[in-house]
Amino acid sequence: LAGLGEVAYREGNLHEAIALYERALAGIEAHYGKNLYYAVTLESLAVVYEEVDKETGLALANEARLIQAALQ
């Protein structure tokens, strides 16, 4: 799903990309918890959100950094 989110983003379908990334994050968290792949996918979602809602994008990017820091 994250790969499809990237395709949607590159095609300019921002709302579709957001939905796909959010579904991917839900699946990753349900099966693996908030691991590195979750953080990377969250960063991708943050990039998309920065074009739609900068404040949300920055908050998501910060959350991704915190998760990555906690995993090290």
Side-chain angles (χ1 to χ4, degrees):
L1 288 172
L4 293 174
E6 181 66 22
V7 170
Y9 172 68
R10 289 178 183 260
E11 291 179 345
N13 300 319
L14 302 181
H15 295 287
E16 180 182 354
I18 288 170
L20 288 163
Y21 279 129
E22 287 176 343
R23 285 179 51 204
L25 286 167
I28 295 165
E29 185 175 12
H31 294 285
Y32 307 106
K34 291 186 176 181
N35 63 7
L36 182 60
Y37 186 57
Y38 181 94
V40 169
T41 304
L42 189 59
E43 283 181 330
S44 297
L45 177 60
V47 168
V48 179
Y49 258 110
E50 285 182 9
E51 294 191 32
V52 176
D53 177 355
K54 188 136 185 106
E55 186 175 319
T56 299
L58 293 173
L60 292 172
N62 187 54
E63 182 183 349
R65 281 191 294 277
L66 291 173
I67 293 168
Q68 288 176 337
L71 293 171
Q72 294 191 12

